[in-house]
Amino acid sequence: MRDSESIPLKQNIHDYFKAEVQPHISEAWLNMESVKIGYEISFNKYFYRHKPLRSLAEVAQDILTLEKQADGLISEILGI
């Protein structure tokens, strides 16, 4: 019956608990010995760089090239 919450750094833990947790779970309690204070950084939000997808024509050409390379490989492997 344990759960954790990510609380905004500038918000008081007790105020958050009273406003967001207790109204929904009246039996909930805080274990202040297990409280960890830190900050979570969303690396995708700050460091992700979008790379545009390849065009459909490029992908289709790659598939056709691979099919040509694979043509006859099964017969070589099986010795037919």
Side-chain angles (χ1 to χ4, degrees):
M1 296 291 201
R2 294 175 190 253
D3 198 3
S4 62
E5 292 280 333
S6 295
I7 302 170
L9 190 60
K10 295 182 179 182
Q11 189 167 0
N12 184 305
I13 294 171
H14 295 288
D15 293 340
Y16 180 88
F17 179 76
K18 287 178 184 175
E20 301 293 333
V21 178
Q22 270 190 336
H24 305 287
I25 305 170
S26 60
E27 299 172 353
W29 52 276
L30 278 172
N31 181 3
M32 293 306 290
E33 292 178 6
S34 68
V35 171
K36 297 176 185 173
I37 297 176
Y39 196 78
E40 182 178 340
I41 298 172
S42 173
F43 284 95
N44 282 338
K45 181 178 179 181
Y46 296 106
F47 301 109
Y48 175 75
R49 299 289 180 248
H50 175 71
K51 294 180 184 174
L53 297 174
R54 296 185 301 159
S55 70
L56 185 59
E58 289 177 32
V59 173
Q61 185 59 43
D62 286 348
I63 291 172
L64 292 173
T65 303
L66 288 172
E67 283 182 353
K68 287 179 185 175
Q69 290 175 355
D71 191 32
L73 286 178
I74 292 178
S75 60
E76 282 182 33
I77 292 170
L78 298 176
I80 299 175

